[in-house]
Amino acid sequence: MDVFSNPSLALPFSYTFTSSSSSTTTSSDSSSGPWMDSRIWSKLPPQLLERVIAFLPPPAFFRSRCVCKRWYGLLFSNSFLEIYLQVLLSSSRRCNWFLFFKRKTLKSYIYKTGNSRGNQVDDPRNGNSAEGYLFDPYELQWYRLSFPYIPTGFYPFGSSGGLVCWVSEEAGLKTLLLSNPLVGSVSQLPPTSRPRLFPSIGLSISPTSIDVSVAGDDLISPYAVKNLSSESFHVDAGGFFSIWAITSSLPRLCSLESGKMVYVQGKFYCMNYGPYSVLSYDVAGNRWFKIQAPMRRFIRSPSLMESKGRLILVAAVEKSKLNVPKSLRLWSLQRDDATWIEIERMPQQLYVQFAAEEAGKGFECVGNGEFMMIVLRGTSSQLMFDMARKGWQWILPCPYGGSGGGGEVLQGFAYEPAIATPVASLLDQLALPF
């Protein structure tokens, strides 16, 4: 195996590929044929060539930059970025990938020890640099992404529109950073208006707008009586700004522990605990409401995810006193925001294997497009479900040390890589460059 590495290019991906004598011979033979005549391909119009390159997936695009200086400079070419954005918006094909981060502890560690550094994500080779693990569900390939430009004291909480969002760990006014791992850019949002400890945060980034919702934990002490509030941030290309406006109050008896929100069709959703329910925030209507979860008294490790414009709840069902077999089920929320319909159930034989591997430690789910990834806590095992083909598949562990042993857990986000996200430039009008 030959590992591609060239420090002068500063590529964000770690590549591994093979080479063989047979493939080399084939390439040399084909290059001498009429279809690979350099006299033909050297006269290809630059715009057509840039359009072809714009269709490449990110790993192939960054490998192609090694061909020549002209291709290397495409990342900084306005004409290429315009073509790339046109292709990105018009193409129906999306890179529905997943981005995982390794974290040492859970929220309980912060509460029990008062150490706000419990969620820090560190590169094992360099304590001052974070790294993520990118998974391609189409090719079943792992990549490693480094974040050397993210300072210590920040942890990732979400991803949208090709950007990864990081939030400050210290209790108080929260600072959020939006980073593009492919090009190494970082933009900073203004600090929140109220001090918080460990809030639930939702993120939605489109080509023309940014929406962020922060809810809960608006007191910096974990022992005080909490006054659960929420605030929202909005900026769009039309020139409308709303910087951390306090929104409507959360419903009574809220217990936000997951720290994650899911954005679906203009609304943010998050899990509520004790008993289980789903909280929803309508961005346009500026109101919170509560949705009863299906089988709320018998579910375990519930997770919310978005899939093709639908909100899906994934949970293990355990009804010990009734004659109902234990299983893992998926429900889809209907348009009335009140009705759940079961759309899938894990085959019983597979669930027996899944339960033995999980051993009651719990699991987390993240969805993107037609794919769903289930990450088992305390292990390096991950299970992928292809909702389009109705297929379940165990995934090989991350080869870059992203295991679940030693008290570590993998936190996953849906990620669609993008070389450019123009809406992030609007943040320069609100805060100093980071």
Side-chain angles (χ1 to χ4, degrees):
M1 302 289 286
D2 297 327
V3 179
F4 177 90
S5 61
N6 190 334
S8 64
L9 297 180
L11 302 182
F13 290 97
S14 297
Y15 299 108
T16 303
F17 54 94
T18 59
S19 62
S20 62
S21 58
S22 58
S23 60
T24 304
T25 304
T26 304
S27 300
S28 61
D29 292 340
S30 60
S31 62
S32 60
W35 292 105
M36 297 301 296
D37 192 339
S38 60
R39 293 173 296 178
I40 299 176
W41 291 101
S42 62
K43 297 182 179 180
L44 196 66
Q47 290 187 345
L48 180 58
L49 179 61
E50 292 180 358
R51 186 168 182 84
V52 172
I53 297 177
F55 277 94
L56 295 176
F61 167 76
F62 282 95
R63 285 197 298 265
S64 69
R65 297 182 69 210
C66 305
V67 173
C68 60
K69 291 183 178 180
R70 176 187 168 193
W71 288 21
Y72 176 82
L74 289 178
L75 192 60
F76 314 100
S77 170
N78 291 332
S79 61
F80 171 76
L81 293 179
E82 290 178 2
I83 295 176
Y84 171 80
L85 292 174
Q86 293 175 3
V87 172
L88 184 66
L89 296 176
S90 61
S91 176
S92 58
R93 185 180 182 274
R94 293 287 187 267
C95 292
N96 297 318
W97 290 6
F98 297 92
L99 183 58
F100 294 93
F101 292 92
K102 182 171 55 177
R103 62 184 186 185
K104 293 290 185 182
T105 57
L106 299 175
K107 174 190 173 186
S108 59
Y109 179 83
I110 299 179
Y111 282 147
K112 291 178 181 179
T113 66
N115 184 353
S116 63
R117 303 300 297 275
N119 276 335
Q120 183 173 341
V121 183
D122 290 332
D123 187 334
R125 301 165 303 173
N126 184 351
N128 297 323
S129 178
E131 73 174 14
Y133 310 105
L134 186 61
F135 179 71
D136 178 1
Y138 304 97
E139 303 293 336
L140 303 181
Q141 179 69 43
W142 287 94
Y143 301 95
R144 180 164 51 194
L145 288 177
S146 60
F147 297 83
Y149 41 85
I150 299 298
T152 58
F154 285 81
Y155 68 92
F157 77 85
S159 173
S160 180
L163 301 180
V164 180
C165 196
W166 305 72
V167 62
S168 57
E169 298 171 349
E170 297 295 335
L173 301 180
K174 293 296 183 179
T175 300
L176 281 68
L177 305 178
L178 296 179
S179 67
N180 188 329
L182 301 189
V183 298
S185 64
V186 179
S187 301
Q188 180 178 340
L189 274 67
T192 58
S193 62
R194 290 192 178 183
R196 300 179 187 273
L197 178 64
F198 193 85
S200 294
I201 305 176
L203 174 70
S204 174
I205 300 177
S206 71
T208 58
S209 65
I210 299 176
D211 282 283
V212 185
S213 179
V214 178
D217 280 357
D218 54 350
L219 292 177
I220 60 176
S221 170
Y223 308 105
V225 178
K226 298 177 183 179
N227 177 21
L228 295 178
S229 67
S230 64
E231 52 188 309
S232 63
F233 174 91
H234 174 85
V235 59
D236 59 44
F240 179 74
F241 297 85
S242 177
I243 304 177
W244 299 122
I246 301 299
T247 64
S248 62
S249 301
L250 275 70
R252 296 181 57 208
L253 303 177
C254 289
S255 178
L256 306 178
E257 296 181 8
S258 66
K260 296 189 300 183
M261 292 188 190
V262 178
Y263 183 83
V264 182
Q265 301 291 336
K267 298 176 183 177
F268 285 106
Y269 297 89
C270 60
M271 285 300 305
N272 184 45
Y273 296 81
Y276 288 123
S277 62
V278 177
L279 297 180
S280 175
Y281 173 64
D282 187 344
V283 177
N286 187 24
R287 67 185 185 96
W288 284 89
F289 56 94
K290 186 180 296 185
I291 305 171
Q292 181 172 319
M295 305 180 68
R296 60 177 182 171
R297 299 183 183 275
F298 308 104
I299 60 176
R300 182 173 60 84
S301 296
S303 295
L304 296 175
M305 67 180 196
E306 186 273 341
S307 175
K308 296 185 175 180
R310 301 179 300 172
L311 179 70
I312 295 178
L313 188 148
V314 186
V317 175
E318 297 180 351
K319 301 176 68 173
S320 57
K321 296 183 180 180
L322 300 177
N323 188 21
V324 176
K326 298 180 180 180
S327 60
L328 186 139
R329 306 186 188 185
L330 285 71
W331 295 271
S332 174
L333 183 64
Q334 303 305 293
R335 293 184 178 273
D336 59 1
D337 276 341
T339 307
W340 297 90
I341 294 181
E342 183 178 326
I343 59 175
E344 191 64 37
R345 186 179 302 188
M346 180 181 290
Q348 194 61 32
Q349 183 177 2
L350 177 61
Y351 181 78
V352 173
Q353 180 184 2
F354 173 83
E357 186 74 16
E358 185 238 354
K361 297 179 181 178
F363 56 90
E364 296 181 0
C365 300
V366 56
N368 195 4
E370 66 270 25
F371 298 104
M372 177 184 73
M373 291 285 289
I374 304 177
V375 180
L376 278 64
R377 298 173 185 166
T379 72
S380 59
S381 300
Q382 294 133 43
L383 183 63
M384 185 178 72
F385 176 52
D386 188 335
M387 288 180 277
R389 298 176 176 82
K390 305 294 183 181
W392 299 84
Q393 182 177 4
W394 289 102
I395 302 301
L396 292 176
C398 177
Y400 302 114
S403 64
E408 298 172 345
V409 294
L410 283 178
Q411 181 183 23
F413 306 107
Y415 177 68
E416 295 186 6
I419 297 175
T421 308
V423 71
S425 62
L426 297 176
L427 298 176
D428 296 337
Q429 305 178 35
L430 305 178
L432 295 175
F434 182 75

